[in-house]
PDB file of all heavy atoms in Angstrom:
ATOM      1  N   SER A 913      30.115 -13.360  16.282  1.00 96.00           N
ATOM      2  CA  SER A 913      31.056 -14.425  16.644  1.00 96.00           C
ATOM      3  C   SER A 913      30.424 -15.804  16.518  1.00 96.00           C
ATOM      4  O   SER A 913      30.977 -16.707  15.886  1.00 96.00           O
ATOM      5  CB  SER A 913      31.544 -14.203  18.077  1.00 96.00           C
ATOM      6  OG  SER A 913      32.333 -15.297  18.517  1.00 96.00           O
ATOM      7  N   ILE A 914      29.233 -15.983  17.098  1.00 96.00           N
ATOM      8  CA  ILE A 914      28.612 -17.309  17.138  1.00 96.00           C
ATOM      9  C   ILE A 914      28.123 -17.739  15.759  1.00 96.00           C
ATOM     10  O   ILE A 914      28.273 -18.898  15.373  1.00 96.00           O
ATOM     11  CB  ILE A 914      27.456 -17.320  18.151  1.00 96.00           C
ATOM     12  CG1 ILE A 914      28.016 -17.199  19.579  1.00 96.00           C
ATOM     13  CG2 ILE A 914      26.620 -18.595  18.022  1.00 96.00           C
ATOM     14  CD1 ILE A 914      26.959 -17.151  20.653  1.00 96.00           C
ATOM     15  N   PHE A 915      27.572 -16.785  14.997  1.00 96.00           N
ATOM     16  CA  PHE A 915      26.972 -17.144  13.717  1.00 96.00           C
ATOM     17  C   PHE A 915      27.841 -16.755  12.522  1.00 96.00           C
ATOM     18  O   PHE A 915      27.385 -16.794  11.373  1.00 96.00           O
ATOM     19  CB  PHE A 915      25.581 -16.520  13.597  1.00 96.00           C
ATOM     20  CG  PHE A 915      24.625 -17.015  14.656  1.00 96.00           C
ATOM     21  CD1 PHE A 915      24.182 -16.171  15.660  1.00 96.00           C
ATOM     22  CD2 PHE A 915      24.192 -18.338  14.652  1.00 96.00           C
ATOM     23  CE1 PHE A 915      23.315 -16.622  16.640  1.00 96.00           C
ATOM     24  CE2 PHE A 915      23.322 -18.798  15.633  1.00 96.00           C
ATOM     25  CZ  PHE A 915      22.881 -17.945  16.629  1.00 96.00           C
ATOM     26  N   ALA A 916      29.106 -16.403  12.790  1.00 96.00           N
ATOM     27  CA  ALA A 916      30.116 -16.184  11.749  1.00 96.00           C
ATOM     28  C   ALA A 916      29.610 -15.264  10.643  1.00 96.00           C
ATOM     29  O   ALA A 916      29.649 -15.597   9.453  1.00 96.00           O
ATOM     30  CB  ALA A 916      30.567 -17.524  11.163  1.00 96.00           C
ATOM     31  N   THR A 917      29.114 -14.103  11.044  1.00 95.00           N
ATOM     32  CA  THR A 917      28.628 -13.124  10.084  1.00 95.00           C
ATOM     33  C   THR A 917      29.107 -11.743  10.482  1.00 95.00           C
ATOM     34  O   THR A 917      29.746 -11.581  11.540  1.00 95.00           O
ATOM     35  CB  THR A 917      27.088 -13.154   9.987  1.00 95.00           C
ATOM     36  OG1 THR A 917      26.664 -12.324   8.911  1.00 95.00           O
ATOM     37  CG2 THR A 917      26.442 -12.711  11.284  1.00 95.00           C
ATOM     38  N   GLN A 918      28.848 -10.765   9.642  1.00 95.00           N
ATOM     39  CA  GLN A 918      29.192  -9.387   9.962  1.00 95.00           C
ATOM     40  C   GLN A 918      27.932  -8.524   9.823  1.00 95.00           C
ATOM     41  O   GLN A 918      27.131  -8.723   8.918  1.00 95.00           O
ATOM     42  CB  GLN A 918      30.273  -8.838   9.014  1.00 95.00           C
ATOM     43  CG  GLN A 918      31.609  -9.563   9.118  1.00 95.00           C
ATOM     44  CD  GLN A 918      31.641 -10.827   8.288  1.00 95.00           C
ATOM     45  OE1 GLN A 918      31.153 -10.835   7.158  1.00 95.00           O
ATOM     46  NE2 GLN A 918      32.176 -11.896   8.846  1.00 95.00           N
ATOM     47  N   ILE A 919      27.792  -7.573  10.750  1.00 95.00           N
ATOM     48  CA  ILE A 919      26.638  -6.674  10.748  1.00 95.00           C
ATOM     49  C   ILE A 919      27.166  -5.253  10.750  1.00 95.00           C
ATOM     50  O   ILE A 919      28.005  -4.892  11.579  1.00 95.00           O
ATOM     51  CB  ILE A 919      25.749  -6.910  11.989  1.00 95.00           C
ATOM     52  CG1 ILE A 919      25.364  -8.393  12.107  1.00 95.00           C
ATOM     53  CG2 ILE A 919      24.495  -6.029  11.934  1.00 95.00           C
ATOM     54  CD1 ILE A 919      24.790  -8.761  13.460  1.00 95.00           C
ATOM     55  N   GLN A 920      26.689  -4.440   9.825  1.00 95.00           N
ATOM     56  CA  GLN A 920      27.106  -3.047   9.745  1.00 95.00           C
ATOM     57  C   GLN A 920      25.898  -2.122   9.853  1.00 95.00           C
ATOM     58  O   GLN A 920      24.789  -2.489   9.446  1.00 95.00           O
ATOM     59  CB  GLN A 920      27.845  -2.769   8.423  1.00 95.00           C
ATOM     60  CG  GLN A 920      29.196  -3.446   8.318  1.00 95.00           C
ATOM     61  CD  GLN A 920      29.949  -3.031   7.063  1.00 95.00           C
ATOM     62  OE1 GLN A 920      29.495  -2.169   6.303  1.00 95.00           O
ATOM     63  NE2 GLN A 920      31.100  -3.651   6.846  1.00 95.00           N
ATOM     64  N   ASN A 921      26.132  -0.950  10.404  1.00 93.00           N
ATOM     65  CA  ASN A 921      25.097   0.075  10.447  1.00 93.00           C
ATOM     66  C   ASN A 921      25.133   0.861   9.146  1.00 93.00           C
ATOM     67  O   ASN A 921      26.169   1.421   8.784  1.00 93.00           O
ATOM     68  CB  ASN A 921      25.314   1.013  11.631  1.00 93.00           C
ATOM     69  CG  ASN A 921      25.082   0.321  12.961  1.00 93.00           C
ATOM     70  OD1 ASN A 921      24.201  -0.519  13.080  1.00 93.00           O
ATOM     71  ND2 ASN A 921      25.880   0.663  13.974  1.00 93.00           N
ATOM     72  N   VAL A 922      24.017   0.869   8.432  1.00 90.00           N
ATOM     73  CA  VAL A 922      23.934   1.563   7.146  1.00 90.00           C
ATOM     74  C   VAL A 922      22.723   2.487   7.176  1.00 90.00           C
ATOM     75  O   VAL A 922      21.576   2.029   7.156  1.00 90.00           O
ATOM     76  CB  VAL A 922      23.811   0.558   5.977  1.00 90.00           C
ATOM     77  CG1 VAL A 922      23.693   1.299   4.657  1.00 90.00           C
ATOM     78  CG2 VAL A 922      24.987  -0.400   5.959  1.00 90.00           C
ATOM     79  N   GLY A 923      22.988   3.777   7.237  1.00 88.00           N
ATOM     80  CA  GLY A 923      21.887   4.747   7.232  1.00 88.00           C
ATOM     81  C   GLY A 923      20.897   4.552   8.353  1.00 88.00           C
ATOM     82  O   GLY A 923      19.689   4.704   8.157  1.00 88.00           O
ATOM     83  N   GLY A 924      21.378   4.197   9.537  1.00 89.00           N
ATOM     84  CA  GLY A 924      20.502   3.992  10.679  1.00 89.00           C
ATOM     85  C   GLY A 924      19.863   2.619  10.735  1.00 89.00           C
ATOM     86  O   GLY A 924      19.059   2.347  11.631  1.00 89.00           O
ATOM     87  N   ALA A 925      20.184   1.741   9.790  1.00 92.00           N
ATOM     88  CA  ALA A 925      19.645   0.382   9.774  1.00 92.00           C
ATOM     89  C   ALA A 925      20.786  -0.622   9.941  1.00 92.00           C
ATOM     90  O   ALA A 925      21.967  -0.292   9.785  1.00 92.00           O
ATOM     91  CB  ALA A 925      18.899   0.109   8.471  1.00 92.00           C
ATOM     92  N   ARG A 926      20.418  -1.871  10.251  1.00 93.00           N
ATOM     93  CA  ARG A 926      21.399  -2.952  10.346  1.00 93.00           C
ATOM     94  C   ARG A 926      21.430  -3.710   9.028  1.00 93.00           C
ATOM     95  O   ARG A 926      20.390  -4.111   8.525  1.00 93.00           O
ATOM     96  CB  ARG A 926      21.034  -3.928  11.473  1.00 93.00           C
ATOM     97  CG  ARG A 926      21.026  -3.345  12.861  1.00 93.00           C
ATOM     98  CD  ARG A 926      20.791  -4.443  13.900  1.00 93.00           C
ATOM     99  NE  ARG A 926      19.583  -5.203  13.615  1.00 93.00           N
ATOM    100  CZ  ARG A 926      18.367  -4.855  14.036  1.00 93.00           C
ATOM    101  NH1 ARG A 926      18.214  -3.751  14.743  1.00 93.00           N
ATOM    102  NH2 ARG A 926      17.318  -5.599  13.754  1.00 93.00           N
TER     103      ARG A 926
END
Side-chain angles (χ1 to χ4, degrees):
S913 173
I914 291 178
F915 298 111
T917 188
Q918 296 83 42
I919 307 166
Q920 292 186 4
N921 292 324
V922 179
R926 297 186 306 273

